[in-house]
Amino acid sequence: MPGQTPDPSAGSHADSVPAPSPVPSSSGNSAGIMLRLVSAGLFVVMSLFVRLASAEAPVGQIVFFRSAFAIPPIVAYLMWRRQFPSALRTRQPVGHLKRNFYGGMAMVLSFVSLAYLPLALATALGFLAPLLAVPAAMLFLRERPGAVAIGAALVGFAGVVLMLVPAFEGPTPDRGTLIGVAAGLAMAFATAAGRVQIKTLTATEAPGTIAFYFALLCALGGLASWPFGWVTPSGLSLACLIGAGISGGLAHITMTEAMARASVSTQAPFDYTAMLWALILDAAIFGLLPSPVSLAGAFVIAASALVVPLSGRFTARSEALRPAR
């Protein structure tokens, strides 16, 4: 989800995800699934805090709190894993700066999207990143995705069009919806670009190292926006700002532990429970639901994004069943 939507392969949420064990046990799979469900819920709670704080605080201030207060849970987790301070050593300082550039842009854009859209729609836009990876792989990596993956990507983009339909129903376009969707689309592009850099970093860097430096550099970037107009937050806004950081840090930790216990393909379907969490919180906190057309578009995007990581499994199974010639 935006403001870091769970992403099983990479992106701003997958910074701290270790490679899964080659042969997870059934009990490990169960624990991994439960942790992934908790992680999906925590990311939506983080997005809720961001949305509430955005009514008062500027984006740069939210970025600072979201990142700075995520550091203590990450450090505590590294200490528990006996990886602190060894995890702070890095061989690619420039690589972390590049990763932070893309990830920082994705974070800012996701927070803008959350300021203008219901949680459910902003969450759905966060699922575009794996769909964007399909044409990117074709253009830049000369990969040849299967017909299922290509079809899923096209259907996912059709879901974006559905989400935009209500914005043009009145006499004038709904400016807020247009800004929110545009920011969400740009966030997905930035997240997809960040995946490439994360992949490069994982050649030499531990997952905890990537997560720590991303939070640290984003906190410094958010702090740099202080001269441009921070506010003195009210008690509720301050609690939301701090809550965004803590819940984001805990979401990283639970995702890390989930990925250590079960494979990506096993957990992939459970990422999309974030849509249900977002719908529940939209109704309970804000008393609103997206229009039926927008909601249909959101579910089209989520379903299409789910198909992409599973398409390889379908292709492999069909190849296995194909008679030898």
Side-chain angles (χ1 to χ4, degrees):
M1 69 206 53
Q4 317 310 335
T5 304
D7 184 343
S9 56
S12 49
H13 288 347
D15 301 339
S16 55
V17 177
S21 55
V23 186
S25 64
S26 57
S27 60
N29 278 335
S30 299
I33 289 169
M34 289 301 299
L35 286 166
R36 194 62 172 221
L37 288 170
V38 173
S39 176
L42 283 169
F43 277 124
V44 176
V45 170
M46 181 203 73
S47 296
L48 171 65
F49 284 137
V50 169
R51 179 170 167 79
L52 291 171
S54 66
E56 185 173 326
V59 172
Q61 187 172 3
I62 298 174
V63 169
F64 170 77
F65 277 87
R66 158 64 183 90
S67 303
F69 282 90
I71 293 175
I74 292 174
V75 170
Y77 173 71
L78 291 174
M79 293 176 67
W80 176 63
R81 294 295 299 268
R82 299 181 181 178
Q83 296 174 351
F84 187 87
S86 61
L88 304 188
R89 290 194 295 268
T90 175
R91 300 179 185 178
Q92 298 192 58
V94 176
H96 284 287
L97 291 174
K98 292 180 180 178
R99 184 271 177 275
N100 190 76
F101 174 74
Y102 294 119
M105 283 198 305
M107 182 182 291
V108 170
L109 289 165
S110 70
F111 291 173
V112 173
S113 180
L114 281 165
Y116 288 97
L117 295 177
L119 285 175
L121 298 189
T123 297
L125 289 172
F127 293 131
L128 281 173
L131 299 177
L132 291 171
V134 174
M138 296 173 66
L139 290 173
F140 301 110
L141 302 178
R142 297 183 179 180
E143 293 183 2
R144 300 177 62 182
V148 174
I150 295 174
L154 293 174
V155 172
F157 296 130
V160 177
V161 175
L162 283 175
M163 287 178 61
L164 283 171
V165 167
F168 296 94
E169 289 180 343
T172 58
D174 183 344
R175 181 173 174 270
T177 299
L178 294 177
I179 292 174
V181 172
L185 286 170
M187 178 269 297
F189 276 102
T191 299
R195 289 181 173 188
V196 177
Q197 189 57 40
I198 289 174
K199 185 66 175 178
T200 302
L201 285 171
T202 55
T204 60
E205 307 292 278
T209 307
I210 300 174
F212 175 83
Y213 282 110
F214 178 66
L216 177 64
L217 292 173
C218 280
L220 293 175
L223 185 61
S225 70
W226 178 36
F228 299 97
W230 280 21
V231 300
T232 302
S234 63
L236 176 61
S237 291
L238 181 61
C240 289
L241 288 168
I242 296 173
I246 294 175
S247 58
L250 292 175
H252 273 289
I253 293 169
T254 52
M255 173 175 277
T256 298
E257 288 297 308
M259 295 299 289
R261 287 167 168 76
S263 65
V264 170
S265 59
T266 298
Q267 297 178 50
F270 300 95
D271 276 339
Y272 299 91
T273 58
M275 283 290 297
L276 299 177
W277 285 108
L279 286 169
I280 291 170
L281 290 176
D282 269 337
I285 305 298
F286 303 105
L288 61 86
L289 287 175
S291 69
V293 175
S294 291
L295 192 58
F299 276 103
V300 166
I301 293 172
S304 301
L306 177 60
V307 168
V308 171
L310 298 180
S311 61
R313 180 185 296 182
F314 297 150
T315 301
R317 182 174 297 177
S318 64
E319 290 290 339
L321 296 176
R322 184 178 299 173
R325 296 181 179 179

